[in-house]
Amino acid sequence: MNRPSDKVCIVTFGCQMNKLDSDLLRGELARAGFSCAERPEEADVVLYNTCSVRDHAEHRVLSHLGAYRRRAESEPDFVLGVIGCMAQRMADQLLARFPFVDVVCGTRAFLRVPAYIRRAQQGGGPIVDVGEESPGGRFEFDRAARMRQEDHSAYVSVMRGCDNFCAYCIVPFVRGRESSRPPQEVVREVRRLADDGVREVTLLGQNVNSYGGGLEPPVGLADLLERVNGVDGIERVRFVTSHPRDMTDGILRAMAGLEKVCEHLHVPAQSGSDVVLGRMRRDYTAAQYRDMVARARELVPGLMLAGDFIVGFPGETERDFRLTLRLLREVRYQQSFIFKYSPRPGTAAARWEDDVPDRIKRERNQALLVAQEEVDTERRAGMVGRRVEVLVDGLSKADERHLSGRTRGNDIVVFDPPQGARPENLTGRLVTVELTDSTPLTLFGRLSGRG
Ligand code: SAH
Ligand code: SF4
Ligand code: F3S
């Protein structure tokens, strides 16, 4: 039996790495005798796993935290924690502004969170830990028995940290230096996940193409993909995020040749202007990026590309922006994530004036979104009539009479379940779907075979 003060809710902001960290931490908390609550109102302990990548991401968390003042003051046993990237970046500021926060714990001290909660419950707060990993090493937390939110698809951390120091980016500051997890350990985890019913794994790293740096014997992402491809029970393998500079023929050939590795790359360009790319410290020109895309498409038939763009970087002119727009149209991304530049304290770019007015940033943001939608609508309309392999995710959220799944290229497909079958039984299975229609967000199809 859990004591009433043992229900924890983790509210997660940020990237896939944060989602994985929250799942790992739930596992650790369960081991320490805590149980999970779905919603903060039902919990005795609320943890915010936070993101610092843009000012907006931080603001959302700050406004949530402010709302806990009354509860924290009226319920002495209640524990409020802030963990992850924001905790790492601004521990002292957080406590100064919200003195009722009990635990502030950075990105490398997650394993210590359960003990801190206990200490806080006994009145020992506030506790701040923005230190390094425990003596067990960088990847000890990754070995935690995670509590998964999804059954058939899982993230696997293969690297932690980032050494790139792109001029705008806070990640290297909050996540620390880059290091790679030994391949045998990654494979062991993937095997365990497969035994547990997982069919699709996504290997995570901030710059996954540089996987292997510092490992002995030498190993690269292509070798890792080959080993993970060999795990029985796994049907699909993905990896994110790729840095354009570190794309190699070896990685592309692995993608083309290994049957489980999906033909999908998330390979952000950030800008189409060489002047801006230079100031961003991205280490490639727009021409080199285009060559990389051409090579990738040559080696990997059917390849889908996703990208990120930042608009309104310091000094970005109308001409720079036009070059970005042209690149987005030319590459014909399946998906683009578009962000307005947000200065991050301590980064190189924060020393430069944030001189593109917000109105212009919004206009440029909107123009890229519109262009992306045009490109994508056309691309998807061209897919109607094809037969595609779909991994079934479950009932469609929009309409529970239908099933929803994803293609190897990560397009969402909605289709009817087979007559007489219980649709939920198809979750996690590979099926063949003939595409019959496309709308701006979704492809529709009819089942034409089971995998
Ligand atoms: N490691 C990954 C993800 C980095 S953060 C990568 O390198 O691709 C995800 C995206 O947020 C980045 O690709 C970038 O487009 C955007 N981003 C990062 N810092 C930003 C900032 N200061 N302002 C606006 N967008 C930013
Ligand atoms: Fe940030 Fe650049 Fe590292 Fe990506 S590669 S996390 S954008 S510093
Ligand atoms: Fe991810 Fe945001 Fe941290 S993007 S690494 S949660 S700053």
Side-chain angles (χ1 to χ4, degrees), residues 263-280:
E263 297 77 15
H264 185 272
L265 280 175
H266 186 167
V267 58
Q270 311 295 2
S271 170
S273 152
D274 289 348
V275 180
V276 175
L277 286 170
R279 266 189 279 125
M280 284 178 164

Side-chain angles (χ1 to χ4, degrees), residues 138-362:
R138 190 89 197 258
F139 295 103
E140 195 183 357
F141 180 56
D142 285 303
R143 292 192 282 271
R146 70 174 88 183
M147 199 113 101
R148 285 190 292 113
Q149 308 243 286
E150 271 198 57
D151 292 333
H152 62 283
S153 186
Y155 294 127
V156 176
S157 134
V158 303
M159 304 170 79
R160 292 268 173 183
C162 181
D163 284 347
N164 276 332
F165 289 95
C166 300
Y168 49 79
C169 186
I170 197 73
V171 171
F173 297 88
V174 291
R175 286 279 180 174
R177 294 292 68 75
E178 175 184 302
S179 57
S180 297
R181 200 172 170 200
Q184 58 278 18
E185 208 178 289
V186 173
V187 169
R188 210 177 305 133
E189 180 173 2
V190 173
R191 269 204 210 106
R192 234 187 356 250
L193 288 166
D195 290 345
D196 207 25
V198 167
R199 296 292 163 256
E200 175 183 64
V201 287
T202 303
L203 311 181
L204 293 186
Q206 295 296 345
N207 179 13
V208 73
N209 288 29
S210 72
Y211 173 79
L215 288 181
E216 278 301 330
V219 57
L221 180 62
D223 311 306
L224 183 69
L225 289 172
E226 191 168 339
R227 295 206 207 181
V228 173
N229 190 74
V231 175
D232 285 341
I234 294 296
E235 309 268 18
R236 281 182 173 182
V237 182
R238 300 180 185 278
F239 56 92
V240 285
T241 308
S242 294
H243 194 294
R245 178 200 55 211
D246 297 324
M247 194 62 76
T248 62
D249 280 5
I251 295 171
L252 296 168
R253 289 213 169 89
M255 179 175 273
L258 298 169
E259 71 282 7
K260 296 176 186 173
V261 178
C262 292
E263 297 77 15
H264 185 272
L265 280 175
H266 186 167
V267 58
Q270 311 295 2
S271 170
S273 152
D274 289 348
V275 180
V276 175
L277 286 170
R279 266 189 279 125
M280 284 178 164
R281 300 194 184 153
R282 288 290 287 178
D283 249 4
Y284 52 84
T285 62
Q288 284 167 331
Y289 185 86
R290 286 187 168 86
D291 288 348
M292 182 277 299
V293 167
R295 182 77 181 143
R297 288 198 160 131
E298 185 185 319
L299 291 181
V300 186
L303 178 68
M304 292 289 172
L305 294 167
D308 297 355
F309 290 97
I310 297 176
V311 294
F313 190 72
E316 186 190 66
T317 61
E318 190 58 29
R319 182 172 173 277
D320 293 323
F321 172 67
R322 295 266 143 213
L323 292 169
T324 299
L325 187 61
R326 195 197 298 167
L327 182 70
L328 181 147
R329 285 213 176 100
E330 245 175 68
V331 172
R332 307 179 66 75
Y333 293 93
Q334 174 210 36
Q335 201 177 12
S336 289
F337 300 92
I338 299 155
F339 307 105
K340 290 188 297 175
Y341 170 68
S342 162
R344 304 284 64 218
T347 60
R351 294 198 296 268
W352 307 324
E353 193 191 342
D354 181 17
D355 57 357
V356 178
D358 196 54
R359 182 180 56 82
I360 306 280
K361 283 184 187 167
R362 264 184 284 141

